[in-house]
Amino acid sequence: MLRVRIFLAFALLLNILSFNLTAQNGKKETSLKADQLVKEALVNFRESNFEKSLIISRVALNAATAAKNNTLISRSYNIIAANYNELSEVDKAIFFYKKSLIYANRTDNDSIKYNLYNNLGNMYCFEKKQFDIGIYYYKKSIAYGLKINDLSQVYFTNVNIAWAYFDVGKFKEGYPYLKFVSNNTEKYSDKSTEIIANMLNGMYLNYKNENDAANAYFLNAIAAGKTSDERSDLSYAHLEYSKFLMKIKKYKEAYENLSLYNKITEELYNQQKLKKASIAGFNLELDEYKRQIDKIENEKISQYQSLKKSRIIVILFVLISLILLFLIITLIKNIRFKKKHNLELLKAKEIAEEASLLKTQFISTISHELRTPLYGVVGITNMLLEEHKELSRSQHLSSLKFSARYLLSLVNDILQINKIEENKVVLENLTFNISDEIMMIKNSLSFLSQKNNNKINIYIDPYIPEYLIGDKLRLAQILMNLVSNALKFTKNGEVEVKVDLLKTEGKNHFLAFLIKDNGIGIATVDQNKIFEKFVQVGRKDEDYQGTGLGLSIVKRLLGLFGSTITLESDLGQGTSFSFIIPFEHDPEKTKKIIAEIEVDLTSNEVHKILIVEDNRINQLVTKKIIEKNNYICKVVDDGFGALEILEKETFDLILMDINMPLMNGFETSKRIRLQDIKTPIVALTAFDKDEITDEAISSGINDIIIKPFEPVKLFKIISYLIEEAKNAG
């Protein structure tokens, strides 16, 4: 929705006029181009052409980044945020305003800092309704206005603060700011602020029940608005005047002013413009993610080249040391050189580690932001299919569900490859039946096999023991990737999955796996490439899907098992992959593992569950899943709501979201434990489990489950924790 935008465009224009181009050498031309694009994007923004403004801002940001010009980068992000602000994409607007502030703080441009703090004050006061945070940003804005000795900007922010207080009914607190505005109107006001100042005086006098004076101010505001280009300010004058007229029971005039407000708003924000601008904004966000990834990869390449040069220097150093071993002066020089070189290596190592950490944090953030909406998409799709059986054959719903799961698979693949590279994957010991696991994979890929008219043939050596011990999840991931690849690149053919018992050494049984197809095959020249990340050889976009991560993950997972993969293939002759993995066979250990993981889900007892979740869609999905299992369920929006309801009611278990405003899930859990509440808490989050385990444990959280999740897994954890809590009591 529209809210306070006083002097946003004007302040942006001031930044343009105050900006002194300082680019040097080859970057000067790029900076000039970026500066011109920023101006063009601003013009389109002021004309409410948000689609074109976002597209041009995107190009401007790329040019500013290439020129490494922090001022231009900040201004580009500022305009992007302003567009999202007008499109009611509140969280995105705040994100890009803060990005702009990061780069602004790297410059001496206090004018743009003033502008950004003012905009953030608008967002938090009028959009997020977090009044205290908004006032904090406004006061920071005033501080920068005083620093640059520009009382006109201080005047503008006082207008915003007065409006913010009046908007929440705090007329006494807002009056001093309105008084400052009224006393300085002749010095600093223009057409736009004349509208707002008159409107605010009308609102205050309405509060004081001085109706005649209030009416006069409202009429002055509307009269000024009709001669001004700031149509949105005129619309708000009509809106506030309609509220006043309703109060004094002039209903016809109130209705007319409200109609004028709606008419102006519709003219300013045509739905087709918003739709196109949203598409442009999505492309801009993708550029932002790509820019971060490219930055990380370039830094890694740079560090690798630096380390490679360092090795050459070390070799030369050794040779010179041998030749000049008996010369004291050369020995002293070599010692000094070595010390300097070690410092360079240490610095390079620190930079490389910092780049790796940045990459991990970036991937974690992106995965969380994608998993959260995917949880809602998958959950609501499943609800529609379950509650409306007539939609089970709907091609649209099936496509939606497939697309969501495909995107989730992509996120998981990227996280998996990152974990392996960071050495964070540890193999687990689980008991499993090899036949059951392969049949499950076959069934899950039945849709893909039918799509290409393929047949899956399975052979399991009968001498393989019924139960083995090892990491069945990683094995299933390896087989799933290989079999799905075989099905994708084979049409009207067969895919063979064969497992033989190769040998036995003590309790270890070495299994030889073969996945073979008669599909298109892989050329010899390409066979060394396919295990690299993001590579698909012989791919046609209309035929195959995928990221090219599958075989890279397979190779790395097999490395964890201490195994390697062998490839045999030729064009038109099909492809076969083979590898060997040892698994333990120990009947006594198997019985113990099975006993530890068995959970009774047959209980008829009704449990009471509290859901703490700020996302309304995720609330709906989780509540439906819980109540479907005949549990009683209550939902609160945040941590404060959870603490309040726990003072009045008792629950068997709490499902706690982690990433919440005001107070996150960790802090909420700590406060619950400080109140001596023993109720089990399960973190229901989109964060990766390995990232939050330590903090979750220290906060008093009992277990973690990642969204989206299988309902059976959730209910196993719930049943186990509730039963454990009863036994402990």
Side-chain angles (χ1 to χ4, degrees):
M1 62 179 288
L2 287 172
R3 262 303 177 187
V4 182
R5 300 292 179 267
I6 298 176
F7 306 109
L8 171 61
F10 183 78
L12 284 166
L13 185 58
L14 285 176
N15 286 328
I16 292 170
L17 295 175
S18 65
F19 173 68
N20 294 319
L21 208 57
T22 59
Q24 297 177 359
N25 302 327
K27 298 178 183 176
K28 183 175 181 180
E29 184 178 348
T30 306
S31 293
L32 287 170
K33 177 183 176 183
D35 185 47
Q36 183 61 38
L37 288 167
V38 168
K39 294 176 182 177
E40 188 177 345
L42 180 59
V43 170
N44 281 279
F45 168 79
R46 298 188 69 190
E47 293 174 353
S48 297
N49 193 345
F50 306 130
E51 174 197 6
K52 191 170 182 180
S53 179
L54 276 171
I55 292 171
I56 297 171
S57 298
R58 173 185 176 189
V59 179
L61 180 59
N62 288 334
T65 302
K68 297 182 179 179
N69 191 313
N70 290 328
T71 301
L72 286 172
I73 293 172
S74 178
R75 288 167 56 203
S76 299
Y77 276 128
N78 195 359
I79 297 175
I80 291 166
N83 277 283
Y84 277 123
N85 190 353
E86 295 299 323
L87 293 169
S88 297
E89 295 275 5
V90 176
D91 291 331
K92 291 179 182 177
I94 290 174
F95 172 80
F96 284 109
Y97 277 137
K98 289 183 177 179
K99 287 280 288 187
S100 179
L101 190 58
I102 289 171
Y103 287 94
N105 286 332
R106 298 174 184 174
T107 73
D108 296 327
N109 192 329
D110 291 329
S111 292
I112 196 169
K113 295 173 190 175
Y114 156 81
N115 176 251
L116 288 166
Y117 280 115
N118 182 72
N119 293 342
L120 285 166
N122 291 338
M123 298 304 299
Y124 278 98
C125 277
F126 294 99
E127 307 294 353
K128 299 292 282 187
K129 302 300 181 184
Q130 296 178 18
F131 187 77
D132 292 339
I133 299 176
I135 294 299
Y136 163 78
Y137 281 121
Y138 279 142
K139 290 181 178 179
K140 290 281 285 186
S141 177
I142 288 176
Y144 276 106
L146 293 172
K147 183 178 178 182
I148 61 177
N149 197 27
D150 190 341
L151 293 180
S152 63
Q153 296 191 11
V154 175
Y155 174 83
F156 303 149
T157 304
N158 273 273
V159 173
N160 285 343
I161 295 176
W163 197 352
Y165 275 114
F166 288 4
D167 190 60
V168 295
K170 295 185 177 182
F171 290 93
K172 290 182 180 179
E173 294 86 339
Y175 178 69
Y177 299 95
L178 177 61
K179 187 176 180 181
F180 176 86
V181 171
S182 299
N183 291 339
N184 292 276
T185 297
E186 293 184 4
K187 292 182 180 179
Y188 306 118
S189 178
D190 63 5
K191 283 290 184 181
S192 178
T193 48
E194 181 183 354
I195 302 168
I196 301 303
N198 277 293
M199 184 191 76
L200 293 176
N201 275 292
M203 292 171 69
Y204 181 74
L205 291 169
N206 178 23
Y207 159 72
K208 300 287 287 185
N209 293 318
E210 298 180 20
N211 294 338
D212 292 339
N215 189 69
Y217 271 113
F218 280 125
L219 291 175
N220 287 340
I222 292 171
K226 290 179 179 178
T227 61
S228 170
D229 293 332
E230 296 294 334
R231 300 281 290 164
S232 62
D233 294 335
L234 175 60
S235 72
Y236 283 115
H238 281 299
L239 178 62
E240 295 298 335
Y241 189 36
S242 71
K243 294 178 183 178
F244 167 73
L245 291 170
M246 284 292 292
K247 177 184 173 182
I248 62 174
K249 300 183 179 180
K250 291 187 177 182
Y251 301 116
K252 181 179 179 182
E253 292 92 331
Y255 175 77
E256 290 172 352
N257 278 272
L258 185 61
S259 297
L260 287 170
Y261 164 74
N262 290 330
K263 180 181 178 182
I264 295 170
T265 303
E266 288 175 4
E267 290 173 356
L268 288 174
Y269 299 98
N270 179 275
Q271 291 301 313
Q272 188 63 26
K273 285 184 180 180
L274 300 183
K275 181 177 178 182
K276 291 180 179 179
S278 294
I279 296 172
F282 178 72
N283 290 331
L284 189 143
E285 290 179 65
L286 288 179
D287 275 1
E288 179 65 19
Y289 299 149
K290 183 178 183 299
R291 189 177 296 107
Q292 294 296 329
I293 293 173
D294 289 343
K295 179 182 177 183
I296 295 167
E297 292 297 332
N298 288 337
E299 288 179 355
K300 286 183 67 178
I301 292 170
S302 176
Q303 298 310 315
Y304 173 77
Q305 291 174 345
S306 176
L307 290 171
K308 188 175 180 181
K309 291 178 181 178
S310 299
R311 294 191 189 100
I312 296 172
I313 294 172
V314 170
I315 294 171
L316 292 174
F317 169 75
V318 172
L319 291 174
I320 294 171
S321 298
L322 291 173
I323 295 170
L324 305 177
L325 182 62
F326 300 103
L327 300 178
I328 297 175
I329 188 169
T330 306
L331 180 61
I332 295 172
K333 288 182 179 179
N334 284 338
I335 291 172
R336 291 176 178 174
F337 177 81
K338 186 175 181 181
K339 287 181 179 179
K340 180 181 178 181
H341 176 64
N342 286 341
L343 289 173
E344 290 176 355
L345 282 176
L346 181 61
K347 184 177 179 181
K349 179 176 178 290
E350 290 174 352
I351 295 173
E353 288 174 349
E354 183 180 353
S356 178
L357 178 61
L358 179 61
K359 173 187 172 185
T360 301
Q361 291 172 343
F362 174 74
I363 291 175
S364 173
T365 301
I366 296 303
S367 67
H368 176 270
E369 292 302 316
L370 288 174
R371 276 175 167 169
T372 297
L374 281 175
Y375 175 61
V377 174
V378 173
I380 290 176
T381 305
N382 288 333
M383 286 161 49
L384 287 172
L385 291 171
E386 290 175 1
E387 295 177 5
H388 301 277
K389 301 298 183 183
E390 70 276 10
L391 297 177
S392 60
R393 296 183 180 178
S394 169
Q395 183 178 0
H396 301 302
L397 274 180
S398 298
S399 298
L400 176 62
K401 186 174 181 180
F402 174 81
S403 298
R405 290 198 173 277
Y406 176 76
L407 184 54
L408 178 61
S409 174
L410 170 60
V411 173
N412 289 336
D413 278 352
I414 294 173
L415 278 175
Q416 182 74 57
I417 202 78
N418 189 59
K419 279 187 186 179
I420 295 172
E421 290 178 349
E422 297 289 333
N423 296 319
K424 292 181 179 179
V425 177
V426 178
L427 296 180
E428 299 178 354
N429 282 328
L430 304 169
T431 187
F432 66 97
N433 180 286
I434 190 69
S435 297
D436 292 344
E437 294 298 321
I438 292 177
M439 286 304 298
M440 190 180 302
I441 291 169
K442 177 182 178 180
N443 293 335
S444 66
L445 295 175
S446 60
F447 173 78
L448 186 57
S449 64
Q450 293 170 9
K451 177 183 176 183
N452 287 342
N453 193 28
N454 291 324
K455 182 179 179 182
I456 302 176
N457 298 319
I458 296 174
Y459 170 78
I460 309 294
D461 192 333
Y463 291 101
I464 297 175
E466 182 180 7
Y467 289 106
L468 299 170
I469 298 173
D471 196 327
K472 67 174 183 177
L473 299 178
R474 298 312 193 288
L475 173 63
Q477 192 173 4
I478 292 169
L479 294 174
M480 182 74 78
N481 274 308
L482 292 175
V483 176
S484 63
N485 260 5
L487 291 169
K488 284 180 188 177
F489 294 95
T490 303
K491 290 187 177 180
N492 304 314
E494 295 184 354
V495 175
E496 178 184 356
V497 181
K498 186 178 181 183
V499 187
D500 287 306
L501 179 60
L502 186 65
K503 63 179 179 178
T504 303
E505 292 181 0
K507 293 182 179 181
N508 286 330
H509 288 59
F510 289 77
L511 305 189
F513 294 84
L514 174 68
I515 294 84
K516 185 177 181 181
D517 65 68
N518 55 3
I520 63 174
I522 304 169
T524 304
V525 69
D526 292 326
Q527 290 180 13
N528 290 329
K529 303 176 184 177
I530 63 172
F531 294 103
E532 298 175 9
K533 290 187 292 184
F534 306 107
V535 171
Q536 277 197 341
V537 298
R539 168 178 174 165
K540 295 180 181 178
D541 289 339
E542 66 271 19
D543 293 335
Y544 310 117
Q545 292 181 334
T547 61
L549 286 173
L551 290 178
S552 179
I553 291 174
V554 166
K555 182 178 179 180
R556 286 165 170 78
L557 287 177
L558 284 172
L560 296 176
F561 282 104
S563 180
T564 57
I565 191 166
T566 302
L567 164 65
E568 293 182 7
S569 182
D570 204 353
L571 286 176
Q573 302 300 315
T575 304
S576 66
F577 292 94
S578 59
F579 55 90
I580 300 168
I581 298 179
F583 291 104
E584 186 181 358
H585 173 59
D586 187 337
E588 293 300 322
K589 192 173 181 180
T590 297
K591 288 180 183 179
K592 184 178 179 181
I593 293 173
I594 292 174
E596 289 177 352
I597 63 173
E598 284 184 344
V599 177
D600 182 15
L601 296 176
T602 62
S603 173
N604 293 322
E605 186 175 353
V606 177
H607 298 300
K608 191 175 179 183
I609 309 296
L610 173 64
I611 298 173
V612 187
E613 168 70 68
D614 65 306
N615 186 293
R616 294 301 173 89
I617 295 177
N618 290 352
Q619 287 178 359
L620 172 65
V621 172
T622 307
K623 190 171 186 290
K624 283 281 186 181
I625 292 172
I626 296 297
E627 291 180 342
K628 187 179 177 183
N629 210 51
N630 297 322
Y631 288 0
I632 298 172
C633 179
K634 286 199 174 182
V635 179
V636 293
D637 294 327
D638 53 46
F640 292 106
L643 294 172
E644 183 178 345
I645 197 171
L646 285 170
E647 291 178 357
K648 305 171 185 177
E649 299 183 42
T650 302
F651 294 87
D652 294 302
L653 187 131
I654 301 168
L655 294 176
M656 180 73 66
D657 185 27
I658 296 300
N659 191 25
M660 296 186 294
L662 303 180
M663 182 165 60
N664 64 32
F666 296 129
E667 181 63 27
T668 304
S669 300
K670 287 178 183 177
R671 296 195 184 188
I672 290 172
R673 295 306 185 216
L674 287 173
Q675 294 179 7
D676 201 30
I677 296 173
K678 306 296 184 183
T679 306
I681 302 175
V682 176
L684 201 60
T685 178
F687 283 111
D688 191 59
K689 186 173 182 179
D690 292 338
E691 296 175 16
I692 65 171
T693 297
D694 292 340
E695 191 169 359
I697 292 171
S698 64
S699 302
I701 293 174
N702 300 84
D703 210 331
I704 301 168
I705 190 166
I706 307 302
K707 297 183 290 192
F709 55 82
E710 293 296 331
V712 173
K713 182 178 180 181
L714 174 64
F715 289 122
K716 279 186 177 182
I717 291 175
I718 290 176
S719 299
Y720 174 77
L721 290 176
I722 291 176
E723 188 64 29
E724 187 180 58
K726 286 182 179 179
N727 294 335

